[in-house]
Amino acid sequence: PSPKSFQPNGASEEVLQCEIEELKQKDLALDQEIAQLMSEGYSLEELEKHISLLHEYNEIKDAGQMLLGKLAVIRGVTTKQLYPEYDLELSD
């Protein structure tokens, strides 16, 4: 086989070029979104802080969901049935 016929994971050069172009477009869109937010008065540091806080919130929420799940198994009920007991909304 010629070097050109061997492609990693069977991917063709054309497919890889399309993926590269899609990533470039996403990068451009994110840059435009950042520019928009900065024009609205947000600083890059503030945006990074919000992202960090969202990650922390999601980790805490995941831990809470895991604990609710284990408690539901112990009690033999569904997680949904525990929500009212702890004043939680289903959207929480």
Side-chain angles (χ1 to χ4, degrees), residues 32-84:
Q32 290 172 342
E33 190 174 341
I34 289 169
Q36 172 69 32
L37 290 168
M38 291 177 81
S39 74
E40 293 173 7
Y42 294 97
S43 70
L44 194 53
E45 294 80 19
E46 186 178 11
L47 293 172
E48 288 173 356
K49 178 68 175 171
H50 282 274
I51 290 169
S52 175
L53 290 172
L54 282 171
H55 284 296
E56 184 178 347
Y57 166 81
N58 284 330
E59 289 172 5
I60 293 168
K61 183 177 176 182
D62 289 346
Q65 289 293 328
M66 185 179 65
L67 290 172
L68 275 176
K70 289 182 183 234
L71 183 59
V73 169
I74 290 168
R75 291 189 181 177
V77 297
T78 65
T79 303
K80 183 178 177 180
Q81 290 172 307
L82 293 176
Y83 273 58

Side-chain angles (χ1 to χ4, degrees), residues 1-8 11-13:
S2 70
K4 210 172 192 182
S5 67
F6 174 77
Q7 298 293 326
S12 71
E13 188 173 331

